[in-house]
Amino acid sequence: QGTEEDKKYRTYELEVDPEQDDKATEIKVFRFSRPHMRAFYCSWWAYFVSFFIWLAIPPLLSGIKETLNLSRDEIWNSGLAGVSGTIVASLLAGPVCETYGARIPFAVILCGISIPTACTGLVKSAVGLSILRFVIGFSGSSFIVCQYWTSRMFAENVVGTANALAGGLGGFGRGLSPLLMGSILKGFHDDQEQLDAWHYICVIPAVLAFSLGVLVYLISDDTPKGNCNDRKGDGTMPGVSVISTFRNAACNRNTWVLFFHFASSYGVEITMKNAAALVFRHKFSQTVEYAAAYASLVGIMQLTARCLGGHVSDRYFARSGVHGRLVVQVILLFCEGLLVFAFVWAKSLPISILVLVFLAFVVHAAEGSTFGIVPFVSPADTGSVMGIVGAGGNVGAVAYSFGFRQWDYRVAFYVMGCMVLISSITSAFIHIEGHSSLFDALQPQNKPEQRIDNEEPDTDEDTQAYTV
């Protein structure tokens, strides 16, 4: 609990908890006040634009492939390089946030990655394309920075909702980028102009990213009490070692269980966007356009489902602590695993589409509930925990994608469904210090035994509290 001297702001527009370093205990979506809601909006704006520039290249790949005379494997390898860049950057982003806060990393990501994005048109070979996409893939780590920032600003009772809402809003950049870039391409009426447009069209998202990076740095705060550099300078915030915080997170068993959970939710989401189209194309003989349209249902409910997953996690936390969050996690992952099997077993197109809608819903909800648990794993090392867990989503996407590339799609779906069901069971291995685990009896603390009479207690023994 800080004094007035170690705070940047004397009053806040939101209710805060002094015991949690002035984190907000409520979310007011239609407010833009500093520090809490300003950080909330800056976090998802920056996440949105980061993913926009990360996925600006895929809609241009047909033109790049034809112009540079690349093979299908070379295009695949460039995509793999982009995901690899995201995994590496995600692992680094967490410890960096612990050290410098979220504001500076976001500015570095947006301004730094805008430069190679603007230089996309200078690529001359497959190797150059892979290197470019590897570097631009660093912008995928913005998800970690976004979730760290909201976790740093909002208290335990609403952190699940805050993380899920910011993640859902920012995640729209994944879907909007291909749509907008494709729309810009359609503005060129000549086919040759469309093929050549990739040489300069990426300048547009690059300028947007650089501008937002500067803005985020100037108008926001790292913590409720001020920026990390200022607080460390005046001695009100201890320094953090990047190596030690990452080591603490990596040595925590709960981190790797949640790594598996995010691989089984976000990893499945990314995989399903391609795998579902494969099913509609080959099993139900749909055209490429219709198969892609049906598969796009996976991303439609991102905001509502993800927010609901985080919100329900918060509600159950209010009832029974972390035990409640784990119950929600088990249910969502178990239902997700069953729906993966149901999708591949569906015998008709309408049933398959309906199952896909439900599957997409629980996948996004599981992503939201996962990051409702992460801030509790090791509060002093939250950024590093988030980095490892977030990287798990991309690792899962790569692993499942390799499965669909090597096996018949039915076998790949069965393997993926089994892995998701196993991940739900591993929730039993999550034991967070100071909190109840999955199989602990519900034990509300500090609840005094009610007296059967109206007399005041006479002795200390009469005032002893018991848990139920």
Side-chain angles (χ1 to χ4, degrees), residues 289-339:
E289 291 78 8
Y290 277 106
Y294 295 145
S296 68
L297 293 171
V298 175
I300 286 179
M301 289 180 296
Q302 173 165 289
L303 178 59
T304 54
R306 191 167 192 156
C307 289
L308 185 60
H311 180 67
V312 171
S313 182
D314 283 343
R315 293 294 297 272
Y316 275 79
F317 173 76
R319 294 182 181 181
S320 53
V322 171
H323 169 90
R325 293 192 187 273
L326 294 175
V327 170
V328 172
Q329 186 80 345
V330 169
I331 293 173
L332 289 174
L333 288 172
F334 188 77
C335 291
E336 179 189 334
L338 294 179
L339 287 168

Side-chain angles (χ1 to χ4, degrees), residues 263-278:
S264 300
S265 52
Y266 182 76
V268 170
E269 176 202 342
I270 299 301
T271 305
M272 283 297 296
K273 289 179 179 178
N274 296 319
L278 184 68

Side-chain angles (χ1 to χ4, degrees), residues 104-119:
I104 293 177
F106 252 143
V108 170
I109 290 172
L110 289 168
C111 296
I113 303 303
S114 67
I115 298 173
T117 302
C119 296

Side-chain angles (χ1 to χ4, degrees), residues 272 279 283-284 334-348 351-356 358-359 413-414 417 421:
M272 283 297 296
V279 171
K283 186 175 181 178
F284 299 110
F334 188 77
C335 291
E336 179 189 334
L338 294 179
L339 287 168
V340 169
F341 284 99
F343 178 72
V344 76
W345 287 338
K347 300 298 183 181
S348 67
I351 295 298
S352 183
I353 293 173
L354 181 62
V355 172
L356 181 63
F358 283 108
L359 174 58
F413 268 112
Y414 294 153
L421 289 175

Side-chain angles (χ1 to χ4, degrees), residues 138-165:
F138 283 20
S139 60
S141 65
S142 60
F143 171 73
I144 307 303
V145 186
C146 169
Q147 298 294 277
Y148 175 81
W149 208 352
T150 48
S151 295
R152 196 70 183 82
M153 287 289 180
F154 293 92
E156 292 180 349
N157 64 308
V158 294
V159 69
T161 303
N163 285 351
L165 187 57

